[in-house]
Amino acid sequence: MPNIKSAIKRVKVSEAKNLRNRMVKSKVKTAIKKFETEIATAPATAAAQYSLTTSAIDKAAAKGILHKNTASRKKARLAKQMAKAQ
């Protein structure tokens, strides 16, 4: 544990940001898994889940949690699955 006041604050801030980033990444992963199960079970109704999933990915990219190219790649793979199912 640091002794300097500013270093103590940096540790606190870093932990808070780390927690927030992990939560957002978890939401993205959960949304992707929900989309994939929706595609497997009911491809006709997967469009709504696709919209929610791409929205979650875009929000994560906007916050800087996911790199924009990573977000684009994930969305492209989801779109490919969507097109294949229909």
Side-chain angles (χ1 to χ4, degrees), residues 32 35-36 39 76-86:
I32 290 172
F35 172 74
E36 289 174 347
I39 282 286
R77 288 178 180 171
L78 294 176
K80 193 174 180 181
Q81 286 180 358
M82 187 79 173
K84 187 177 178 183
Q86 291 178 350

Side-chain angles (χ1 to χ4, degrees), residues 6-24:
S6 62
I8 292 170
K9 180 180 177 182
R10 294 309 316 158
V11 168
K12 279 185 178 180
V13 170
S14 174
E15 286 174 353
K17 286 184 178 185
N18 181 268
L19 177 64
R20 188 173 61 238
N21 291 347
R22 281 188 300 169
M23 285 172 35
V24 172

Side-chain angles (χ1 to χ4, degrees), residues 19-83:
L19 177 64
R20 188 173 61 238
N21 291 347
R22 281 188 300 169
M23 285 172 35
V24 172
K25 280 185 183 182
S26 178
K27 281 184 183 181
V28 168
K29 289 177 187 179
T30 303
I32 290 172
K33 286 178 187 173
K34 281 184 182 178
F35 172 74
E36 289 174 347
T37 56
E38 188 77 23
I39 282 286
T41 57
T45 61
Q49 187 61 41
Y50 172 77
S51 176
L52 293 172
T53 305
T54 55
S55 175
I57 292 171
D58 284 336
K59 286 177 186 174
K63 292 177 183 176
I65 296 167
L66 290 179
H67 191 273
K68 65 177 186 171
N69 291 353
T70 303
S72 179
R73 182 181 69 240
K74 287 182 183 294
K75 287 172 33 179
R77 288 178 180 171
L78 294 176
K80 193 174 180 181
Q81 286 180 358
M82 187 79 173

